[in-house]
Amino acid sequence: MARTEPTTLTRVAAVEMSLVRLPLARSGPRRRASGEHDRFARHVLIRVRDESGTSGWGEIPGADDSDWDALVADFAPALVGHCWQRPTEASEAWRPLGPRPAVAAALDTACWDLWSRQRDTPLAHALGGVRTAVTTGVTLGRQSSVEALVREVNRQVGAGCKRVRLEVGPGWDVEAVRAVQATYPFLVLQVDGGGRYTESPEDLAALHALDDYGLLAIEQPFAASDLSAHARLARDLRTPLALDDSVDSLERLDEAIRMEAAKVLNLRIGRLGGLTPARRAHDRAVDAGWRMWCGSEGESGVGRAAIVALASLPGAALPCEMPRAGERLPRDLVVPPVRSHDGIAAVPLTQSGLGHEVDERAVNALTVRSVSLGALG
């Protein structure tokens, strides 16, 4: 921890869960609607209360029915009545239930927020963060043409973006990178393969060609399960490899470090199962000499506030992920909104916990299903 705190026991008195249907914002290019998922996002907000009434918040972004069912039937009941001294111990309540990273991450984040508010300290400081602000970057998917890609990069650079991460794949990689770099030679640029490549001669030739462009990282070129392929490529390239989907546990990170499969990590709270394992992954990656940034999974303001707090850790020095300019977003649900301005997101240090208050009236208005467990009195 950042500082020694007096030992007290927290007992979880209640867990409140709200499945909210968030209308997507209408900013940016209009897209033809093909169903509800083009116009709405389903998120679960979780509120954990202690016996004094202090509460902390967490979020499951893009929740499906199985997430909701597991949370209501198993994970939340296991947490109600559970006692812990530090939020690192909260996961003992649901550990016997087996892996459900998104659900565990939301509960773990809520417990960290609760613990920080009990002590009137910012979540960033509770985690051991050292920054007052973090630089931010955006991710751009495949566009209709290289020209359209350059126009979109121009929009992001004009909004102050410090780093652009391009989603690439066979047939959409070297030419796209060349065009962006020719237009913006000083832009920090990285690519995300998303597991789309194999070790075929054609794919390896493209990955080796990308090595000539001075990229910040080439992320997850091969399938998540294939650390050996990443290790072989890492030995052949000057550009660092980054891992994302391959690292879904601390044990998997340890294996990747032993194999020298990468030197950069996309640190995601939801994939690892919460702030507790994410902070431990940060520490292990730093010890191994890895660099990292904090990635996003489409969170609303509750989840993005946790990302900013995690990104304040000393080893998370690369630009953290934020929504791109003009992107259609669900409502933030927190006040003030979690936003990047001119490529910088402030780390809230004058308020406790997440540093943002949940807009409960908005949450209630958008809730389509809710369950409360425990004593709310």
Side-chain angles (χ1 to χ4, degrees), residues 20-245:
V20 296
R21 189 167 173 261
L22 301 182
L24 291 166
R26 298 183 180 274
S27 59
R30 294 183 63 86
R31 292 182 250 175
R32 183 176 58 189
S34 58
E36 175 178 318
H37 293 294
D38 289 332
R39 296 175 289 117
F40 296 92
R42 283 163 42 107
H43 295 233
V44 174
L45 295 188
I46 298 171
R47 185 178 199 172
V48 174
R49 295 182 186 262
D50 67 9
E51 293 174 310
S52 72
T54 303
S55 58
W57 292 85
E59 174 187 7
I60 307 174
D64 59 26
D65 290 340
S66 66
D67 291 329
W68 175 260
D69 292 343
L71 172 66
V72 171
D74 300 316
F75 281 74
L79 185 59
V80 172
H82 182 62
C83 296
W84 39 271
Q85 293 180 350
R86 297 184 181 277
T88 53
E89 302 164 2
S91 63
E92 296 299 325
W94 60 78
R95 191 182 308 279
L97 299 174
R100 177 71 72 161
V103 177
L107 290 171
D108 184 74
T109 298
C111 289
W112 272 97
D113 185 31
L114 167 62
W115 193 76
S116 303
R117 292 176 189 268
Q118 289 172 337
R119 283 151 182 76
D120 195 27
T121 189
L123 176 60
H125 282 176
L127 290 169
V130 297
R131 294 187 177 85
T132 60
V134 297
T135 57
T136 63
V138 301
T139 296
L140 300 180
R142 183 165 183 164
Q143 307 291 306
S144 59
S145 66
V146 169
E147 293 75 20
L149 173 64
V150 172
R151 287 195 298 271
E152 186 59 31
V153 171
N154 179 67
R155 186 214 294 251
Q156 304 309 316
V157 172
C161 176
K162 306 299 185 188
R163 182 272 284 158
V164 171
R165 173 173 170 255
L166 301 179
E167 293 183 354
V168 297
W172 179 265
D173 40 38
V174 178
E175 184 182 2
V177 169
R178 182 188 301 119
V180 172
Q181 196 171 82
T183 308
Y184 295 99
F186 301 108
L187 177 65
V188 177
L189 194 63
Q190 68 186 83
V191 297
D192 174 21
R196 302 177 189 95
Y197 292 87
T198 68
E199 291 184 280
S200 69
E202 297 80 10
D203 285 1
L204 288 176
L207 292 169
H208 279 85
L210 290 172
D211 197 29
D212 294 331
Y213 287 91
L215 300 172
L216 180 67
I218 297 173
E219 180 183 353
Q220 200 68 57
F222 305 120
S225 61
D226 200 346
L227 287 179
S228 296
H230 288 93
R232 286 189 289 270
L233 183 63
R235 289 193 291 267
D236 292 340
L237 300 185
R238 299 181 304 276
T239 306
L241 290 193
L243 293 180
D244 177 13
D245 292 345

Side-chain angles (χ1 to χ4, degrees), residues 268-357:
R268 286 202 281 160
I269 298 170
R271 176 162 296 282
L272 285 165
L275 287 169
T276 297
R279 194 182 67 159
R280 290 171 178 161
H282 163 275
D283 294 346
R284 295 187 191 187
V286 168
D287 288 344
W290 287 33
R291 306 171 75 194
M292 72 200 80
W293 79 95
C294 295
S296 172
E297 300 182 59
E299 293 88 347
S300 73
V302 174
R304 285 204 300 277
I307 290 172
V308 170
L310 186 66
S312 72
L313 291 176
L318 301 180
C320 79
E321 194 73 15
M322 279 286 156
R324 68 181 187 268
E327 184 175 1
R328 302 198 312 170
L329 295 171
R331 292 179 62 173
D332 246 17
L333 299 181
V334 295
V335 180
V338 182
R339 290 286 186 269
S340 173
H341 300 283
D342 293 327
I344 299 292
V347 179
L349 299 176
T350 60
Q351 295 186 2
S352 63
L354 292 170
H356 300 261
E357 294 303 321

